[in-house]
Amino acid sequence: AIARFVARFVAILLLDLRPITFKIARGLGQLGVECAKYLRGKYGRENVILSDIIKPTTEVFNDGPYIFADILDFKGLQKIVVDHRVDWLIHFSALLSAIGEQNVPLAVRVNIEGMHNVIELAKQYRLRIFVPSTIGAFGPDSPRNPTPNITVQRPRTIYGVSKVHAELLGEYYYYKFGLDFRCLRFPGVISSDPPGGGTTDYAIAIFHDVLRKGRYECYLRPDTRLPMMHVKDALRALSNFLEAPNKMLHRRVYNVTSMSFTPEELADHMFKYIPDFSISYKPDSRQDIADSWPQVFDDSEARRDWNWKPEVDLDNLVKLMLKEVKEKIN
Ligand code: AKB
């Protein structure tokens, strides 16, 4: 079944850097870029189309097919699906938790209207669709340690609200129309690309600042525990989940995680490899968001149903990040 699927596989990765063009000059949407690299390695360069509304870097452009797609332009999306005979959508466009709070109307458009467009598109053309969700889909009323797959979800950010909406809409389309909707709730995903607009971003920024300046000022308290995952594990989870036959799945939405740590624990671990740096703490509004999120994520259902198993632990994560961020800044 997988071979047949691979032969027909044309995925389009929709990622939308709109907030970044406003807020941060470059470097975001990297889960999409990394994901395209990974899937192209598996399914062939021409079979994975990356899309956005911004001009790609030369590196991204040379890596494989790249097209303009505006998540808010339904007709434009229809044309792409027809012209490229797309059969799988991977929908990354979203304003993350912290940046979403700074521009709620834009977050509503990109995260909620965008979701309406892609799910309707998937229904019309019988596409399979993957949409990531997040630990941010939980709130202060949810159990935090551990947070099970099914529990109270009352998030207090527009990002979280839009993700609960996406989860429920996707499940509804699955039950009502038989749409192959799949969704993973990711923890903070850590990669070497500079962060942009999330609450878990400190765990990326710390590596950049320590390697460049020898110091880091953290916007969360030292004891703020959050679930995390290196991008390698995130891409493996995504690809294993996409390939899992429907009969293995008891849900459309699964928690996945690799580990949980606090800023202090991460810094202590980094001291093993870089003894000479300083860290200070100055909590800001992101602290309130972090305090409402899971501390430990229970992904036992993903482990049970489709054999999810993380491979990168805290020590590996620190080693990988030091190597990858060094390469990036040199
Ligand atoms: C964020 O911090 O907003 C994201 C997430 C955990 O979904 N990284």
Side-chain angles (χ1 to χ4, degrees):
I2 287 181
R4 252 206 345 270
F5 148 65
V6 172
R8 290 195 57 246
F9 182 90
V10 178
I12 180 162
L13 296 165
L14 296 163
L15 79 146
D16 189 328
L17 301 190
R18 197 179 318 247
I20 295 92
T21 56
F22 291 166
K23 283 273 173 199
I24 298 163
R26 57 168 291 274
L28 261 192
Q30 295 300 343
L31 190 54
V33 174
E34 292 291 322
C35 180
K37 271 200 191 116
Y38 186 87
L39 293 179
R40 281 174 183 150
K42 264 189 125 169
Y43 302 117
R45 187 180 181 275
E46 299 307 314
N47 288 334
V48 180
I49 303 163
L50 195 57
S51 75
D52 206 316
I53 58 168
I54 64 158
K55 211 166 145 185
T57 60
T58 312
E59 195 199 333
V60 169
F61 189 74
N62 290 339
D63 211 52
Y66 184 97
I67 56 171
F68 174 91
D70 183 348
I71 202 72
L72 299 174
D73 170 17
F74 188 70
K75 267 211 162 342
L77 297 176
Q78 284 179 306
K79 180 164 173 10
I80 291 166
V81 168
V82 170
D83 288 353
H84 296 272
R85 300 185 65 237
V86 170
D87 41 31
W88 201 313
L89 287 176
I90 299 177
H91 169 53
F92 281 125
S93 318
L95 268 75
L96 298 182
S97 55
I99 208 167
E101 293 310 291
Q102 289 164 27
N103 196 340
V104 174
L106 184 65
V108 168
R109 292 203 75 202
V110 174
N111 296 15
I112 299 181
E113 242 181 271
M115 177 67 194
H116 291 171
N117 283 342
V118 294
I119 197 116
E120 201 42 44
L121 192 71
K123 174 172 155 266
Q124 269 186 15
Y125 293 97
R126 303 305 299 168
L127 312 176
R128 302 184 203 189
I129 177 168
F130 174 85
V131 180
S133 184
T134 160
I135 49 172
F138 297 90
D141 299 321
S142 313
R144 297 180 65 208
N145 187 352
T147 307
N149 220 93
I150 295 285
T151 188
V152 175
Q153 286 178 267
R154 284 287 180 278
R156 299 263 174 96
T157 60
I158 189 62
Y159 173 60
V161 169
S162 71
K163 288 300 183 181
V164 175
H165 167 265
E167 292 179 6
L168 293 177
L169 200 65
E171 276 184 10
Y172 175 78
Y173 272 61
Y174 167 73
Y175 288 114
K176 177 92 177 171
F177 306 114
L179 191 75
D180 189 341
F181 167 83
R182 299 183 187 205
C183 172
L184 292 180
R185 292 193 193 113
F186 286 111
V189 175
I190 299 169
S191 73
S192 59
D193 299 300
T199 302
T200 56
D201 288 358
Y202 87 84
I204 302 174
I206 189 172
F207 288 95
H208 286 265
D209 280 16
V210 162
L211 288 173
R212 278 178 215 264
K213 303 187 268 187
R215 61 175 193 281
Y216 179 62
E217 184 178 272
C218 184
Y219 55 80
L220 296 180
R221 278 193 321 268
D223 62 347
T224 311
R225 184 170 303 284
L226 289 167
M228 299 280 185
M229 172 181 261
H230 187 267
V231 67
K232 261 180 134 176
D233 266 349
L235 295 176
R236 231 169 27 79
L238 174 62
S239 136
N240 292 351
F241 184 51
L242 292 182
E243 283 176 0
N246 261 316
K247 63 175 187 297
M248 283 173 85
L249 306 182
H250 292 97
R251 305 195 175 289
R252 309 317 295 179
V253 181
Y254 284 94
N255 292 355
V256 284
T257 191
S258 297
M259 65 193 97
S260 282
F261 55 73
T262 66
E264 193 168 37
E265 287 166 358
L266 176 60
D268 282 350
H269 229 89
M270 290 172 68
F271 280 124
K272 276 178 45 182
Y273 301 100
I274 320 180
D276 202 19
F277 75 90
S278 66
I279 178 156
S280 54
Y281 297 92
K282 196 172 170 209
D284 65 18
S285 58
R286 288 169 280 192
Q287 185 67 53
D288 295 336
I289 299 179
D291 286 343
S292 74
W293 280 5
Q295 295 179 317
V296 174
F297 219 28
D298 175 359
D299 61 0
S300 52
E301 298 208 10
R303 289 170 187 251
R304 181 198 65 202
D305 288 357
W306 46 277
N307 306 319
W308 160 242
K309 200 167 179 289
E311 283 178 358
V312 182
D313 62 11
L314 179 56
D315 193 52
N316 280 325
L317 178 136
V318 168
K319 284 198 281 208
L320 279 169
M321 283 296 285
L322 289 174
K323 181 174 159 285
E324 291 161 1
V325 174
K326 261 185 209 152
E327 281 165 13
K328 199 136 268 174
I329 62 185
N330 284 335

